[in-house]
Amino acid sequence: MKVGFIGLGTMGTPMAKCLIHDGFDLLGWDTDEETLLGFDSAADSLEQIAQCCDTFITMLPEGQHVRSVYGQLLSQIEAPHLFLDCSTIDVASTRDLAMQLTALGHGFVDAPVSGGREAASSGSLSFMIGGDAEHVDAARPLLASMGKKLIEFGDAGTGQAAKACHNMICGITALGVSEAFALADALELDLGKFFHLCSGAAAQSWILENRCPVPGPAPNAPASSDYTPGFAAYLMAKDLELARQAAEASNQRTEFGAAAARRFREFVEAGNGDLDFSAIYRSIRK
Ligand code: NAD
């Protein structure tokens, strides 16, 4: 197996490094020159990846990027290749891509992730997996190298469906945690003590412990490093919009999810998209 890894950003680089560490033969590609220069096993071009690799992993920002890269790869290869998309994109695009690839004789698995760059670095991501059993079996050694929890939901697209629901919880939780910290600050509580309380009590969550929205209490959280992402606010806004679209398409009311989508969209439109999503706190604490 020769792996082409496309999209070497916050998540892609540490994921690709896990695969290399576990002995996979891998070439990486990214359109950002600086990112590519910093990656030891970089390809010269996407064409080189198409020519040399039989398995493609994508870790790209949005559906449009995945569609564009797949289009370029498909114009240069013949079946059968395995396409493993770990990006977070919309369910409808994923199902379309899966049908298109399957019709051409390729394999496709959608496997978006949860866990952030820390879990990506330690090979302990959670994968939400959709695809035919045969293709999921082929992808499993790769997924097992990058992740600890592999949950198979069913046909292609079900991984993205699970991810949309999962990230809706994250977005709503981020707003709840931020609002509670804003109130605690307004009430002149010691925020370090408040963090200590919540992290060991019923208010505990991954978002609270790893993305505490105020600088100080969690030294490794983005808030303690000028909100350097982590998980950029524009990606959170995108994910909440994907959940909103999925809710609309399935006729399920998601009132808090829709409110979270609106708040993060406004935050990004105000020029904060490249900050970690926990910086939403700044728009709440007046
Ligand atoms: P990122 O912006 O850090 O990285 C994306 C990379 O893709 C960039 O380096 C960019 O240059 C590259 N890229 C864009 N278009 C390209 C193209 N056409 N060809 C090749 N490279 C291209 O994003 P990220 O944080 O690594 O997130 C990637 C995906 O993973 C997103 O869908 C995101 O929603 C999801 N995700 C991120 C996190 C997180 O904590 N950052 C967690 C879970 C899921």
Side-chain angles (χ1 to χ4, degrees):
M1 179 186 276
K2 176 113 184 167
V3 180
F5 200 112
I6 302 139
L8 301 167
T10 306
M11 299 294 286
T13 287
M15 290 165 72
K17 283 185 176 170
C18 282
L19 292 167
I20 292 170
H21 177 267
D22 286 348
F24 286 96
D25 191 6
L26 183 148
L27 275 177
W29 174 247
D30 196 290
T31 43
D32 184 73
E33 261 181 52
E34 208 176 311
T35 302
L36 202 58
L37 279 174
F39 189 74
D40 285 344
S41 186
D44 298 330
S45 61
L46 188 62
E47 288 70 28
Q48 189 192 359
I49 294 224
Q51 282 155 17
C52 299
C53 302
D54 51 38
T55 301
F56 307 118
I57 303 180
T58 36
M59 194 53 174
L60 295 163
E62 300 185 34
Q64 55 174 315
H65 305 107
V66 177
R67 281 191 296 274
S68 155
V69 165
Y70 277 20
Q72 292 172 68
L73 290 171
L74 284 173
S75 68
Q76 297 171 63
I77 60 169
E78 286 178 9
H81 286 63
L82 177 63
F83 289 70
L84 171 57
D85 184 30
C86 299
S87 329
T88 305
I89 70 169
D90 62 289
V91 177
S93 289
T94 298
R95 291 193 169 134
D96 285 351
L97 286 171
M99 275 192 338
Q100 198 185 328
L101 289 165
T102 309
L104 292 169
H106 298 289
F108 175 80
V109 173
D110 55 303
V113 310
S114 170
R117 75 180 159 205
E118 303 90 336
S121 302
S122 59
S124 56
L125 289 165
S126 297
F127 282 96
M128 293 149 267
I129 303 165
D132 289 352
E134 175 198 349
H135 303 138
V136 173
D137 284 348
R140 196 171 288 112
L142 298 159
L143 297 167
S145 165
M146 299 182 283
K148 280 227 167 76
K149 195 187 262 190
L150 314 183
I151 303 185
E152 294 169 32
F153 280 90
D155 294 342
T158 55
Q160 294 295 353
K163 174 68 178 168
C165 300
H166 173 276
N167 272 33
M168 194 174 79
I169 297 178
C170 296
I172 294 169
T173 306
L175 287 171
V177 169
S178 292
E179 201 163 86
F181 269 81
L183 179 59
D185 195 35
L187 293 169
E188 299 181 358
L189 291 181
D190 178 318
L191 295 184
K193 288 184 184 173
F194 182 62
F195 174 78
H196 183 55
L197 162 80
C198 293
S199 54
Q204 188 274 340
S205 68
W206 188 94
I207 296 285
L208 172 89
E209 292 203 354
N210 295 278
R211 297 291 182 266
C212 175
V214 296
N220 294 328
S224 299
S225 316
D226 293 326
Y227 296 99
T228 305
F231 184 57
Y234 86 90
L235 290 174
M236 178 62 92
K238 176 204 71 168
D239 287 359
L240 290 167
E241 175 57 21
L242 296 180
R244 196 198 61 70
Q245 288 169 8
E248 198 172 88
S250 55
N251 209 19
Q252 172 60 49
R253 190 159 161 255
T254 52
E255 194 178 335
F256 297 114
R262 179 178 50 76
R263 280 305 298 258
F264 275 98
R265 186 177 63 244
E266 289 168 1
F267 187 62
V268 169
E269 284 169 0
N272 301 302
D274 290 334
L275 295 175
D276 187 73
F277 71 90
S278 55
I280 193 97
Y281 174 78
R282 290 173 169 177
S283 71
I284 292 173
R285 176 71 177 119
K286 302 288 180 214

